[in-house]
Amino acid sequence: MRKLRWCPLAITALLASLVAVPPAASAQQAAPAAPILDPIPEDPAPAGLGLVLEKVAQLPESETSAPPTDDRLKRRNRINHLGELPDRSGRLYVPDLNGKLYFLDKKTRTPSTYLDVGATFAPDFYSAAGLGQGFGFVAFHPDFAKNGTFYTTHVERGDALETEEPDLPEQPNTGYHGVLTEWTADDPSAGTFHGTHREVLRFGFSGRIHNLQQIDFNPNAGRGDADYGMLYIAVGDGGNGNVGANGGDPQNLAVPQGKILRIDPSGTNGVNGEYGVPADNPFVGEDGVLGEIYAYGMRDPHRFSWDTRGSKRLFLAHIGEHEIESIHEIEPGDNLGWSEREGAFTFREDDRCHLYPLPEDDEKYGYNYPLAAYDHDPPADWNCRSDVGKAISGGYVYRGAKLPALRGKYLFGDIVNGRLFYTEESQMRRDPAGRDRAQIYELSAYTTSGEPVTMQDMAGDERVDLRIGSDAKGEPYLLSKANGTIWKVVDTREFAECRTGPARVGHATGARDWSPVTPDKWRFEHGQVVLAEAGEARPGPRRPFEYAVLKKGPAFASAQIDAEVRLDTPVSESNRDVIVVFGYRDDTHFYYAHLSSDNTIYPHNGIFLVNGADRVRIDRQWNANRSKGAPPAVTDAGWHDVRVRHCAGTGEIAVHVDGADRPVFTALDTTLGSGRVGFGSFDNIGRLRDLTVRGTPAR
């Protein structure tokens, strides 16, 4: 449904009606909505799964068209996509925002320059300001093998602003042109471009960010389909589509900014005769509306992709302003709501720091709200007018054959910090109310030797500038501008996947099997280890008050601990907990998994290390900016299955509850490589039964 617009007469009538409201009625109006301080409370959950990365290539160094004023542009190069040519040659292509299009050899993956877009359009070609400026994207026609046709986008400044005119309505105070170009290669199989090019469309933007983003063809469309050969163009809002003269551009159907356009590059009925407007576009024939528009209401429509061999849906990764990084399904005529909505929240021009609840009558507008989203969670001292350093890097639904653990998952990441995510395509459903969002899971990363790493490690920089691509078979690749490197995902690996054997300890519920801190507080009966009396704080570092260490069997290096635990402290009491100890050396050196009903305070519900000092939280799930952790592990007085896996070699620790495939907590720490197992609490009571420990005896 399209957004309603107000004409001047309607506004005058509305103001008059407001003036006429009696004082008593005005006093009964609802108070203004309060800002939402944590728009998306649920954080990405641990996937318990990692991607094994193999380095494929490192692209040559490149420079911007002029010295950049923004340090974020000072990268080895600015590679921003990877795909495979649609000609069965096996060649991969990689565009660099600084101007060159590279091909990677099928066998060696050695890069070579196919086309220098920057040099072709110099001196007007511009890549020296704005994170997306320069040679933005490339899309090869499905028939490239025969017709040699492909399309690029790039940015121009300089004399072009005086000598060239945008074809579609430009923004006031235009400072940059975005240009769509068609290229035709004389020999599609050649390793270097020789041929011709022509300009298809020129856009005018006032700002240096959110220019032209991705362009692409629908891979699900075959010859004879209405969508075959239609080119989709993601057009940003110019960086200020929410304020000033450009405020409202994403909602204005008379301009191209803040939209996804759909054109026929082989047609001629467009405004300049260089392209066509498909007759089945959603707004064709409407007065005052651009027929090129396919969907609208966007800030930075960064990356889109179609689900191939699956639902065939079109997904868009959308970069937000205040807080929301989101994934949307796009259908003809959809309106994402920007700049009146950010994600499923109200955006207000008068408050640059917060989002607000949706109005009660919101569903009448028909906005397209996210299928999945995460928020920024900035620190308390964050300057809300600055970049918080989070932005979604869109990917695609994996339907390949080599990585069965990823099938059906929409893979994506964060551009800045390089975190890797997925959400299940089957759980990505539209919700007009904006409340039903698919859970996001965070993936780990590994080298081919099994070493846990982060993308910041791999990129050698805190700012990764992550991008995700794929080959023709749907196999994924990761790219970083920081060091200009490309990695292929060659395998998957479970988190904390290590050999836990050959030793096994079980049937350990007798008093002789355990060494408690305070023996009088414990009972060993009916096959259970019972902490019957709450512990008390002891001198020394802050650590669990009362626990018992398993004496039976050896100390373990890598180990898997399986048991059932129960909290006997009444549910009516707060801060209930039990702990599972591992890596125990002595009373001030050990790890423990804290299972609690409270996830809002630092010492609860996570994985901790006691290393001769107060316990330190080491799990990856604690969000310090919001003072919250993973969902509470134990909330009742029933028995719960608990599994703790500790891989001494890598330092991986995973805690699973009630047989869940995915862990509730994960950590990475190599401080203590081995030790004994235990059970206890801080100041609560509880019990354990059916304990089994499998592991590698410590040397």
Side-chain angles (χ1 to χ4, degrees):
M1 182 184 298
R2 289 175 48 208
K3 177 89 172 62
L4 296 177
R5 291 178 176 74
W6 297 96
C7 66
L9 289 176
I11 295 173
T12 302
L14 175 62
L15 293 175
S17 67
L18 291 176
V19 172
V21 174
S26 178
Q28 295 175 0
Q29 291 179 353
I36 300 174
L37 302 182
D38 189 7
I40 302 180
E42 62 273 16
D43 289 335
L49 183 68
L51 308 180
V52 179
L53 307 180
E54 180 179 74
K55 182 177 177 179
V56 170
Q58 186 174 40
L59 278 292
E61 293 185 59
S62 65
E63 296 182 354
T64 54
S65 59
T69 57
D70 187 339
D71 285 342
R72 294 175 297 177
L73 274 64
K74 297 175 182 177
R75 313 267 74 188
R76 176 182 172 88
N77 52 48
R78 299 174 64 205
I79 54 176
N80 67 338
H81 184 62
L82 177 146
E84 184 173 329
L85 293 167
D87 62 357
R88 299 185 179 181
S89 68
R91 295 177 294 175
L92 302 177
Y93 62 86
V94 181
D96 180 343
L97 282 160
N98 286 336
K100 292 184 178 180
L101 174 60
Y102 295 98
F103 281 2
L104 272 60
D105 181 80
K106 177 181 179 179
K107 295 182 179 180
T108 67
R109 295 311 188 202
T110 302
S112 60
T113 301
Y114 177 72
L115 170 66
D116 192 335
V117 174
T120 302
F121 298 108
D124 293 333
F125 175 84
Y126 189 76
S127 68
L131 295 174
Q133 302 276 44
F135 168 29
F137 217 85
V138 58
F140 289 83
H141 192 280
D143 278 337
F144 172 76
K146 295 181 178 179
N147 62 25
T149 301
F150 62 99
Y151 298 84
T152 64
T153 64
H154 73 275
V155 173
E156 292 184 1
R157 284 197 81 186
D159 290 345
L161 299 181
E162 302 296 330
T163 61
E164 305 290 343
E165 288 290 333
D167 299 297
L168 298 174
E170 62 185 306
Q171 293 181 319
N173 303 313
T174 290
Y176 306 88
H177 284 179
V179 183
L180 174 67
T181 304
E182 178 185 270
W183 307 76
T184 303
D186 296 334
D187 178 4
S189 66
T192 304
F193 176 79
H194 295 284
T196 60
H197 67 272
R198 69 179 179 92
E199 185 171 307
V200 179
L201 262 173
R202 183 175 289 262
F203 302 79
F205 297 91
S206 62
R208 63 186 184 184
I209 58 175
H210 311 170
N211 197 303
L212 296 180
Q213 291 289 9
Q214 182 174 352
I215 56 175
D216 224 331
F217 296 93
N218 181 356
N220 295 317
R223 288 187 179 85
D225 294 341
D227 212 24
Y228 187 77
M230 301 298 108
L231 184 64
Y232 290 72
I233 309 167
V235 186
D237 70 355
N240 51 9
N242 57 340
V243 293
N246 303 327
D249 275 357
Q251 292 296 315
N252 182 355
L253 293 176
V255 302
Q257 291 81 14
K259 317 291 194 302
I260 290 179
L261 309 183
R262 177 175 177 261
I263 67 169
D264 179 359
S266 65
T268 58
N269 67 335
V271 293
N272 59 8
E274 298 293 334
Y275 68 95
V277 178
D280 58 348
N281 273 4
F283 301 108
V284 167
E286 293 192 27
D287 291 340
V289 176
L290 292 182
E292 293 89 342
I293 296 173
Y294 186 79
Y296 66 112
M298 301 166 195
R299 177 180 181 267
D300 188 3
H302 189 252
R303 293 291 183 267
F304 58 85
S305 63
W306 285 265
D307 180 9
T308 59
R309 311 183 192 97
S311 67
K312 308 296 179 70
R313 293 191 288 172
L314 172 59
F315 294 114
L316 170 71
H318 186 264
I319 297 177
E321 168 96 352
H322 283 328
E323 284 273 355
I324 309 302
E325 305 302 316
S326 54
I327 304 164
H328 300 255
E329 178 186 1
I330 302 298
E331 293 183 350
D334 273 342
N335 180 3
L336 274 61
W338 178 253
S339 60
E340 297 177 10
R341 301 288 184 269
E342 183 179 342
F345 304 93
T346 297
F347 177 91
R348 286 179 17 184
E349 281 190 31
D350 64 338
D351 187 344
R352 310 297 297 159
C353 298
H354 303 102
L355 297 176
Y356 289 81
L358 297 175
E360 292 184 1
D361 63 348
D362 181 70
E363 290 194 28
K364 74 180 183 182
Y365 299 111
Y367 290 127
N368 171 3
Y369 289 135
L371 308 174
Y374 64 100
D375 60 8
H376 291 174
D377 286 342
D381 59 353
W382 171 60
N383 176 359
C384 60
R385 294 180 180 273
S386 65
D387 183 358
V388 75
K390 292 187 179 179
I392 191 169
S393 180
Y396 67 103
V397 179
Y398 179 79
R399 302 288 182 186
K402 294 184 178 180
L403 307 170
L406 298 182
R407 285 183 192 144
K409 294 173 171 56
Y410 178 87
L411 307 176
F412 65 105
D414 190 277
I415 290 174
V416 182
N417 57 37
R419 293 171 70 187
L420 302 170
F421 304 115
Y422 76 78
T423 188
E424 298 285 354
E425 184 274 329
S426 61
Q427 297 177 10
M428 297 166 72
R429 307 182 188 94
R430 285 181 176 243
D431 176 18
R435 292 187 289 266
D436 183 15
R437 293 184 294 268
Q439 174 66 53
I440 293 173
Y441 297 97
E442 182 168 4
L443 291 155
S444 303
Y446 298 89
T447 65
T448 52
S449 62
E451 177 188 1
V453 291
T454 66
M455 288 309 300
Q456 291 175 330
D457 296 330
M458 299 294 273
D461 199 296
E462 290 188 359
R463 184 182 178 90
V464 177
D465 272 322
L466 175 73
R467 298 296 188 274
I468 298 175
S470 69
D471 60 25
K473 295 181 179 179
E475 301 305 325
Y477 292 75
L478 305 181
L479 300 80
S480 169
K481 294 181 186 177
N483 61 0
T485 299
I486 299 170
W487 300 269
K488 184 177 182 180
V489 181
V490 295
D491 203 353
T492 58
R493 178 186 175 102
E494 289 187 16
F495 188 86
E497 177 186 308
C498 57
R499 184 172 183 266
T500 53
R504 179 184 183 278
V505 177
H507 304 291
T509 56
R512 65 184 180 279
D513 300 323
W514 295 85
S515 177
V517 171
T518 311
D520 290 347
K521 296 182 182 294
W522 293 80
R523 297 200 308 267
F524 301 90
E525 58 189 22
H526 310 301
Q528 298 178 13
V529 178
V530 183
L531 174 55
E533 184 179 336
E536 299 174 356
R538 296 174 288 123
R542 182 72 175 178
R543 63 201 188 283
F545 298 168
E546 186 63 39
Y547 58 84
V549 176
L550 180 66
K551 295 191 299 183
K552 184 178 180 180
F556 290 97
S558 295
Q560 176 175 302
I561 306 161
D562 288 288
E564 290 185 69
V565 303
R566 192 179 87 182
L567 259 166
D568 291 343
T569 301
V571 175
S572 58
E573 296 189 23
S574 62
N575 299 341
R576 303 163 67 241
D577 77 277
V578 291
I579 65 166
V580 177
V581 174
F582 55 102
Y584 179 89
R585 303 286 186 84
D586 56 45
D587 187 39
T588 59
H589 296 85
F590 58 93
Y591 295 110
Y592 65 93
H594 190 278
L595 309 173
S596 173
S597 57
D598 190 340
N599 71 335
T600 63
I601 56 177
Y602 177 84
H604 274 245
N605 211 58
I607 304 173
F608 297 82
L609 167 66
V610 180
N611 188 34
D614 289 355
R615 46 88 181 105
V616 175
R617 188 164 193 144
I618 60 173
D619 65 272
R620 296 173 163 184
Q621 283 63 61
W622 179 248
N623 183 333
N625 292 338
R626 297 296 191 198
S627 293
K628 64 180 179 182
V634 178
T635 59
D636 56 22
W639 286 99
H640 293 274
D641 293 317
V642 175
R643 169 172 288 178
V644 178
R645 287 184 63 88
H646 176 213
C647 296
T650 62
E652 295 169 278
I653 303 167
V655 179
H656 298 253
V657 176
D658 292 332
D661 291 336
R662 300 182 182 97
V664 63
F665 316 128
T666 61
L668 192 64
D669 186 271
T670 57
T671 305
L672 304 175
S674 63
R676 290 191 170 271
V677 170
F679 171 74
S681 177
F682 269 80
D683 53 1
N684 287 270
I685 55 176
R687 58 189 66 205
L688 172 147
R689 70 184 184 190
D690 295 340
L691 171 69
T692 303
V693 185
R694 298 175 177 84
T696 305
R699 295 179 179 179

